[in-house]
Amino acid sequence: TCTKCTKGRFQDEKGQASCTACVAGKYGDAEEQTTDTCKPCGKGKYSSAQGAVADSQCNSCSPGKYSAQTAQIAASVCISCGAGTYTAEGGLSECATCALGKASVVGSSVCVACLPGEKLVGSTCAVCDEGRYSGIGDTTCTKCTTGRFQDEKGQASCTACVAGKYN
């Protein structure tokens, strides 16, 4: 008797001694296939396994990375999200843009508001210069008002001049 090809394998020729495994990056979820009907791992996924039998055997790109291609065979196809974008979960085909007032660095899985003493510049946070300050999530650094000063970078407030001094 002849043995049917199992999931993850096919045979498209008569009189063969074995079945051919689905190649890496693809899987076969049906038995007794007579043609190469192996399905590709979807966007945001990859698999180095030959003869995979289910989509669940395809690995997901990790959070902070994505892949817009199908049938990929290695994690190296997963691309880091650019600054100002992110993927909160794995297995995605594109990165989302950070919400207004939030930033991220390359390869981020989250976006964050800039810290006190920083301002949002494009899609990243930049430290405020001396004489300026900012609060959490600010998009600008504010100049210290008359009678107050700040002689350090990256500060959340200005200090009042002491009695007998002014600026």
Side-chain angles (χ1 to χ4, degrees), residues 129-133 141-151 155 157-159 167:
D129 289 330
E130 296 94 343
R132 297 183 174 271
Y133 70 97
C141 295
T142 305
K143 186 177 180 180
C144 294
T145 57
T146 303
R148 300 181 79 75
F149 73 99
Q150 183 48 259
D151 54 9
Q155 299 302 306
S157 63
C158 296
T159 303
N167 73 345

Side-chain angles (χ1 to χ4, degrees), residues 74-88:
S76 59
V77 301
C78 299
I79 302 165
S80 292
C81 293
T85 65
Y86 71 104
T87 56

Side-chain angles (χ1 to χ4, degrees), residues 2 28 31 34 38 52 64 72 84 98 104 106 108 111 123 139 154 157 165:
C2 295
E31 296 180 334
T34 58
C38 300
Q72 298 303 301
C98 292
S104 71
V106 172
S108 289
C111 296
S123 57
T139 57
S157 63
K165 294 188 177 185

Side-chain angles (χ1 to χ4, degrees), residues 12 15 17 23 25 35-36 61 64-65 85-86 102 141 144 148 163:
D12 53 5
V23 297
T35 59
D36 182 353
C61 292
K65 296 187 174 198
T85 65
Y86 71 104
K102 295 202 171 185
C141 295
C144 294
R148 300 181 79 75

Side-chain angles (χ1 to χ4, degrees), residues 23-160:
V23 297
K26 294 186 175 188
Y27 65 95
D29 58 2
E31 296 180 334
E32 217 168 333
Q33 295 301 301
T34 58
T35 59
D36 182 353
T37 55
C38 300
K39 299 174 182 177
C41 290
K43 293 177 180 179
K45 296 184 174 188
Y46 64 92
S47 175
S48 59
Q50 293 185 349
V53 299
D55 178 63
S56 61
Q57 288 182 279
C58 298
N59 303 302
S60 293
C61 292
S62 56
K65 296 187 174 198
Y66 74 100
S67 175
Q69 300 175 333
T70 62
Q72 298 303 301
I73 63 170
S76 59
V77 301
C78 299
I79 302 165
S80 292
C81 293
T85 65
Y86 71 104
T87 56
E89 56 192 64
L92 298 179
S93 61
E94 63 184 3
C95 301
T97 301
C98 292
L100 191 63
K102 295 202 171 185
S104 71
V105 296
V106 172
S108 289
S109 59
V110 295
C111 296
V112 295
C114 293
L115 298 171
E118 298 177 338
K119 65 178 178 178
L120 185 64
V121 178
S123 57
T124 58
C125 297
V127 174
C128 293
D129 289 330
E130 296 94 343
R132 297 183 174 271
Y133 70 97
S134 72
I136 191 164
D138 284 354
T139 57
T140 61
C141 295
T142 305
K143 186 177 180 180
C144 294
T145 57
T146 303
R148 300 181 79 75
F149 73 99
Q150 183 48 259
D151 54 9
E152 294 180 29
K153 290 184 175 186
Q155 299 302 306
S157 63
C158 296
T159 303

